[in-house]
Amino acid sequence: MKKIAWGITGSGDLIKETCDIMLDIKKRADIELMTFLSKEGEVVLKWYKMWDDFKTNYPDLKTEGGPNSPFIVGPLQLGHYDMLIIAPATANTVAKIVHGISDTLVTNAVAQTAKGDTPIYILPVDRKKGTVTTYSPKGKEMKLKMRDIDIENTEKLSLMENITILDSPDDLYRIIGISKE
């Protein structure tokens, strides 16, 4: 059985797709999943009207009380988990990780996990130059232009030790080791 820690930040972009895939993986794979949210991750799940279902599907959900509360970094650093997944990750979270700022539960989890051998997988929402299509909480299609600084930070993140960038929520199947079908 794989033990996986999954952190969610406050991104509306890719939140539904990521949560749907992780729920599918949870149902089909032999995994133990510890899920934790940044403060804004909780806000976004509520805004997108996903909160009640999320709490039902992940009853042991942990929400941020501070950078080290609840205390998850020790087990992450010591290799209690087979991997740390941050998906989706906001541009703000990516910038903080790149610049060594660990003042949230998610950024502290990444900083401390990187000091051990547990692999870290991050799905930044700002990955490639150009425009992406996403959806508002009411399902309205939106076009978002990626900022150069956010793309540069994602590129820097990809060069950091022990961190692998995911290109899409579908990559979660591959890293966990199950087929998409």
Side-chain angles (χ1 to χ4, degrees):
M1 174 185 307
K2 287 185 182 176
K3 292 183 176 184
I4 300 169
W6 173 33
I8 299 171
T9 69
S11 171
D13 187 21
L14 300 179
I15 189 68
K16 180 160 180 14
E17 300 91 332
T18 301
C19 289
D20 288 349
I21 288 171
M22 287 303 285
L23 183 58
D24 181 47
I25 289 169
K26 180 183 174 207
K27 289 177 180 177
R28 295 177 37 219
D30 185 23
I31 62 171
E32 178 183 310
L33 187 62
M34 186 273 291
T35 307
F36 63 101
L37 304 173
S38 70
K39 289 177 185 175
E40 297 307 315
E42 181 177 339
V43 169
V44 168
L45 285 170
K46 288 176 179 176
W47 197 41
Y48 276 76
K49 308 232 183 306
M50 297 170 62
W51 181 244
D52 290 337
D53 286 340
F54 198 85
K55 287 191 313 183
T56 299
N57 292 322
Y58 304 97
D60 296 327
L61 169 67
K62 297 170 182 7
T63 56
E64 178 177 2
N68 214 21
S69 176
F71 186 68
I72 61 172
V73 298
L76 279 163
Q77 192 175 45
L78 293 172
H80 180 73
Y81 293 94
D82 295 303
M83 67 181 70
L84 169 61
I85 298 169
I86 306 299
T90 62
N92 185 53
T93 296
V94 170
K96 286 181 174 192
I97 293 167
V98 165
H99 294 283
I101 300 168
S102 54
D103 63 350
T104 69
L105 184 60
V106 171
T107 57
N108 193 35
V110 171
Q112 299 310 313
T113 302
K115 293 178 180 181
D117 293 326
T118 303
I120 303 165
Y121 298 93
I122 301 178
L123 176 62
V125 292
D126 300 308
R127 294 176 311 285
K128 296 185 173 113
K129 195 173 185 103
T131 303
V132 298
T133 301
T134 189
Y135 298 91
S136 74
K138 293 185 177 181
K140 181 181 176 190
E141 188 175 285
M142 301 169 35
K143 302 280 186 191
L144 299 177
K145 180 184 169 206
M146 299 299 100
R147 300 182 321 158
D148 289 343
I149 187 68
D150 299 328
I151 302 307
E152 290 168 17
N153 282 334
T154 295
E155 289 168 359
K156 290 176 185 175
L157 184 68
S158 73
L159 301 174
M160 293 181 75
E161 186 176 354
N162 204 29
I163 293 177
T164 301
I165 300 298
L166 303 177
D167 287 323
S168 80
D170 284 340
D171 288 346
L172 294 164
Y173 289 109
R174 177 184 49 78
I175 65 167
I176 292 171
I178 68 168
S179 69
K180 183 177 174 182
E181 305 304 319

